[in-house]
């Protein structure tokens, strides 16, 4: 099999920091097709030598001790730099010539759009008009995929004019984290556990993604989006759907995704009638973290960017219910925030008898206390100590090359979660719900 991997935004931060290192590891470990080319597309004029030099220095930085001159030399033979100004027809023809679609149909072409969503339209339109979208091509996009139902729908419509849903891979990098894949695996492999995975045995589920970082370099975006849209709509919703979904009869990508969407659609609506009881939003003020003092959110904005309004929430907690037989009256607490006391992502499952099980996503990757539910001797550690855990992107790119859509977000899934999120936001706006301050380094506001 042959592969053409085309990265738009090929010398941007994501490409250099995550995509190329992932491809390097896939190549090193024998997981790339026998023949492949990686074309990094960008508008800047760059010589091949400059490009190769840049990739080499970044790989050294990001794969550290795993950098190997010999492996790299072979890998680099497959790298191409392609200057394309997206608005230049001539440059596009150059790219089409390089891909030479008609010459060889026995291959895969993967277009990775590592560019802002405003660039999706020009890229997709040119791909379509130059007929660079044969059935053996795939498209990869990632968040932010819209900021509400309307804009997400526009993006879906735009992509679907050029690619079939079967060709589209929407990345949520949380789905590349090993513990998330293990949730399905373990539920599927242990029927005795699965039989107890419901309201009769579980009385509460806490899904927490807490971060120590603040707004970093993304003040404007984060202030506009808030963590509800930056984190809950995607990452927490993915964790929730894997925990809450019914298992399909067969573990096939679309059957799994059908069940995930079904769970999200069953989330009971939070709107202006109940938003004040069921949600709390917060913003950090100056505090202490890891023994040092850190400035508050508004101070950070002032230091970095005068134009952000400072109204974005940096913390949110939501008490959600899923209205179906399995989960009737079981609260799912979703909590995420920045500048909290620790970096941790986990699911805590509280049983009827108050015993607790944990699915630890990061920094540890393990299931703890599953034996409480059924005397199961499931290995607590999900990944052995001496095994390198692939970066989320490495796993996901490998799945794209294999053509497996299980761990990618389908169009209806994304729409269902935006619909639920939009109602929360509308509720906040109508009730003018206030943001609570919390100290950097604390655990954030509480929600009963
Ligand atoms: C990104 C968000 O999607 O996920 C960031 O935009 C957040 O705000 C990041 O910091 C968290 O990812 P991880 O893998 O570090 O938990």
């Amino acid at each position: 099999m042959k592969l053409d991997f085309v990265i738009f935004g090929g010398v941007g931060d994501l490409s250099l920091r995550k995509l190329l290192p992932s491809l390097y590891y896939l190549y090193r470990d024998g997981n790339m097709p026998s023949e492949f080319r990686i074309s990094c597309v960008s508008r800047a004029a760059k010589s091949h030598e400059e490009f190769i030099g840049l990739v080499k220095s970044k790989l050294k930085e990001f794969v550290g001790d795993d950098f190997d001159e010999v492996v790299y030399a072979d890998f680099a033979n497959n790298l191409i730099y392609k200057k394309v100004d997206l608005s230049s027809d001539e440059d596009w023809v150059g790219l089409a010539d390089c891909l030479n679609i008609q010459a060889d149909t026995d291959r895969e072409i993967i277009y990775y759009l590592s560019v802002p969503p405003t660039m999706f339209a020009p890229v997709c339109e040119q791909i379509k008009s130059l007929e660079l979208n044969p059935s053996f091509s795939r498209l990869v996009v990632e968040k932010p995929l819209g900021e509400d139902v309307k804009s997400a729908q526009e993006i879906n419509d735009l992509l679907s004019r050029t690619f079939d849903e079967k060709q589209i891979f929407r990345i949520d990098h949380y789905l590349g984290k090993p513990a998330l894949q293990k949730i399905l695996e373990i539920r599927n492999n242990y029927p005795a556990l699965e039989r107890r995975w419901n309201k009769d045995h579980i009385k509460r589920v806490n899904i927490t993604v807490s971060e120590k970082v603040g707004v970093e370099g993304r003040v404007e975006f984060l202030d506009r989006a808030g963590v509800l849209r930056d984190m809950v709509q995607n990452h927490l919703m993915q964790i929730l759907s894997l925990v809450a979904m019914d298992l399909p009869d067969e573990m096939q990508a679309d059957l799994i995704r059908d069940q995930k969407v079904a769970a999200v659609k069953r989330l009971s609506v939070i709107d202006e009638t109940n938003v004040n009881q069921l949600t709390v939003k917060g913003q950090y003020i100056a505090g202490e973290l890891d023994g040092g003092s850190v400035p508050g959110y508004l101070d950070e904005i002032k230091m970095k960017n005068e134009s952000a309004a400072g109204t974005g929430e940096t913390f949110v907690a939501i008490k959600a219910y899923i209205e179906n037989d399995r989960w009737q009256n079981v609260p799912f607490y979703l909590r995420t925030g920045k500048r909290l006391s620790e970096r941790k992502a986990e699911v805590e499952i509280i049983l009827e008898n108050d015993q607790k099980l944990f699915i630890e996503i990061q920094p540890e990757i393990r299931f703890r206390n599953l034996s409480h539910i059924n005397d199961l001797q499931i290995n607590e550690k999900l990944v052995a100590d001496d095994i390198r855990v692939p970066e989320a992107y490495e796993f996901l790119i490998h799945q794209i090359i294999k053509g497996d859509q299980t761990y990618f977000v389908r169009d209806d899934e994304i729409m269902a979660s935006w619909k639920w999120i939009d109602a929360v936001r509308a509720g906040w706006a109508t009730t003018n719900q206030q943001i609570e301050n919390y100290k950097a380094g604390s655990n954030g506001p509480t929600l009963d």
Side-chain angles (χ1 to χ4, degrees):
M1 211 256 288
K2 294 177 201 157
L3 168 67
D4 259 304
F5 199 96
V6 184
I7 308 175
F8 290 90
V11 288
D13 189 52
L14 179 72
S15 177
L16 295 169
R17 207 160 37 87
K18 300 282 187 194
L19 308 183
L20 289 166
S22 297
L23 288 158
Y24 169 84
Y25 278 122
L26 288 169
Y27 174 67
R28 187 196 70 171
D29 297 345
N31 290 324
M32 288 294 273
S34 50
E35 272 183 53
F36 69 95
R37 294 190 296 182
I38 299 169
S39 305
C40 290
V41 173
S42 173
R43 135 179 93 170
K46 244 185 225 316
S47 70
H48 184 70
E49 287 67 34
E50 273 177 285
F51 165 64
I52 291 291
L54 173 68
V55 174
K56 185 172 182 176
S57 71
K58 291 292 176 182
L59 270 184
K60 279 187 169 167
E61 181 180 343
F62 294 117
V63 307
D65 290 347
D66 288 333
F67 186 83
D68 180 305
E69 287 286 353
V70 178
V71 175
Y72 175 72
D74 287 345
F75 176 71
N77 282 335
N78 302 286
L79 294 177
I80 297 171
Y81 182 72
K82 197 77 200 142
K83 176 194 163 295
V84 179
D85 178 338
L86 296 180
S87 61
S88 157
D89 290 345
E90 199 187 325
D91 285 1
W92 271 98
V93 170
L95 179 64
D97 285 348
C98 176
L99 287 172
N100 202 2
I101 302 269
Q102 273 75 28
D104 188 356
T105 54
D106 181 24
R107 61 169 158 166
E108 267 177 28
I109 302 181
I110 294 173
Y111 298 108
Y112 200 118
L113 268 52
S114 179
V115 289
T118 46
M119 300 283 122
F120 291 179
V123 174
C124 287
E125 279 155 17
Q126 287 281 10
I127 288 180
K128 185 171 183 180
S129 76
L130 292 166
E131 297 180 10
L132 303 177
N133 54 342
S135 58
F136 52 86
S137 61
R138 293 179 186 143
L139 179 78
V140 188
V141 289
E142 63 187 292
K143 70 185 279 268
L145 293 174
E147 51 181 39
D148 53 17
V149 165
K150 185 168 169 285
S151 51
Q153 188 63 57
E154 279 165 13
I155 292 178
N156 278 345
D157 290 347
L158 168 78
L159 304 183
S160 70
R161 283 198 287 275
T162 303
F163 293 93
D164 189 82
E165 184 61 27
K166 288 263 166 251
Q167 295 171 281
I168 302 174
F169 290 72
R170 291 179 195 78
I171 286 197
D172 181 309
H173 80 280
Y174 264 61
L175 289 174
K177 295 188 190 269
L180 265 71
Q181 296 134 34
K182 296 282 179 184
I183 295 176
L184 269 194
E185 215 178 286
I186 219 138
R187 289 185 55 194
N188 191 45
N189 289 348
Y190 293 92
L193 174 74
E194 185 58 19
R195 275 199 299 278
R196 291 167 172 78
W197 205 253
N198 57 49
K199 62 176 189 295
D200 298 333
H201 301 272
I202 292 174
K203 70 172 183 195
R204 171 176 168 153
V205 178
N206 297 327
I207 297 175
T208 306
V209 178
S210 69
E211 299 188 274
K212 281 188 184 180
V213 290
V215 284
E216 308 292 285
R218 303 154 68 220
V219 177
E220 247 179 72
F221 169 75
L222 280 175
D223 191 56
R224 210 179 124 65
V227 290
L228 179 69
R229 293 191 275 184
D230 182 44
M231 298 292 291
V232 180
Q233 183 272 331
N234 37 73
H235 308 324
L236 279 90
M237 203 61 96
Q238 287 302 329
I239 303 172
L240 171 106
S241 61
L242 289 169
V243 171
M245 67 186 265
D246 288 342
L247 292 185
D249 294 336
E250 276 176 70
M251 292 305 242
Q252 282 173 13
D254 264 331
L255 300 181
I256 291 172
R257 299 193 298 175
D258 287 346
Q259 296 298 347
K260 285 173 68 197
V261 184
V264 175
K265 284 191 172 164
R266 285 290 179 170
L267 277 168
S268 75
V269 177
I270 298 181
D271 57 16
E272 75 267 16
T273 60
N274 53 8
V275 73
N276 294 168
Q277 293 80 54
L278 298 178
T279 73
V280 56
K281 50 179 173 167
Q283 204 176 70
Y284 61 84
I285 54 173
E288 281 201 5
L289 200 53
D290 293 337
S293 56
V294 287
Y297 178 71
L298 295 179
D299 306 326
E300 267 190 70
I301 288 187
K302 242 183 242 148
M303 288 184 307
K304 286 178 184 156
N305 185 320
E306 305 281 331
S307 70
T311 49
E313 75 283 353
T314 62
F315 175 96
V316 66
I318 303 177
K319 187 177 179 182
Y321 287 94
I322 298 172
E323 286 173 0
N324 60 15
D325 267 3
R326 188 191 279 270
W327 297 116
Q328 202 71 49
N329 296 328
V330 177
F332 281 71
Y333 282 79
L334 309 175
R335 295 168 59 85
T336 186
K338 303 212 176 271
R339 284 280 191 245
L340 296 176
S341 62
E342 57 179 337
R343 176 173 188 260
K344 186 177 75 179
E346 72 173 20
V347 184
E348 182 185 19
I349 294 164
I350 301 164
L351 303 180
E352 268 311 304
N353 57 7
D354 286 328
Q355 286 181 311
K356 293 175 180 173
L357 328 177
F358 297 90
I359 298 169
E360 299 185 351
I361 300 164
Q362 66 190 22
E364 300 292 341
I365 306 170
R366 63 181 177 195
F367 289 173
R368 266 203 296 134
N369 298 352
L370 282 202
S371 53
H372 285 335
I373 206 170
N374 187 40
D375 295 330
L376 285 173
Q377 295 312 313
I378 296 172
N379 265 345
E380 300 221 322
K381 267 197 184 298
L382 297 175
V383 182
D385 280 338
D386 53 350
I387 287 182
R388 179 184 68 88
V389 180
E391 268 269 359
Y393 280 95
E394 184 181 333
F395 169 82
L396 294 171
I397 291 174
H398 195 186
Q399 299 305 106
I400 299 165
I401 294 173
K402 290 196 281 188
D404 186 338
Q405 290 186 304
T406 305
Y407 290 105
F408 297 87
V409 190
R410 208 170 56 190
D411 50 357
D412 51 346
E413 204 175 341
I414 209 161
M415 295 315 300
S417 78
W418 273 122
K419 192 173 167 203
W420 190 74
I421 294 287
D422 277 7
V424 175
R425 284 182 52 231
W428 281 348
T430 312
T431 62
N432 195 18
Q433 185 167 325
Q434 296 304 301
I435 294 194
E436 290 185 24
N437 288 334
Y438 63 96
K439 271 198 169 160
S442 70
N443 290 327
T446 51
L447 175 69
D448 293 331

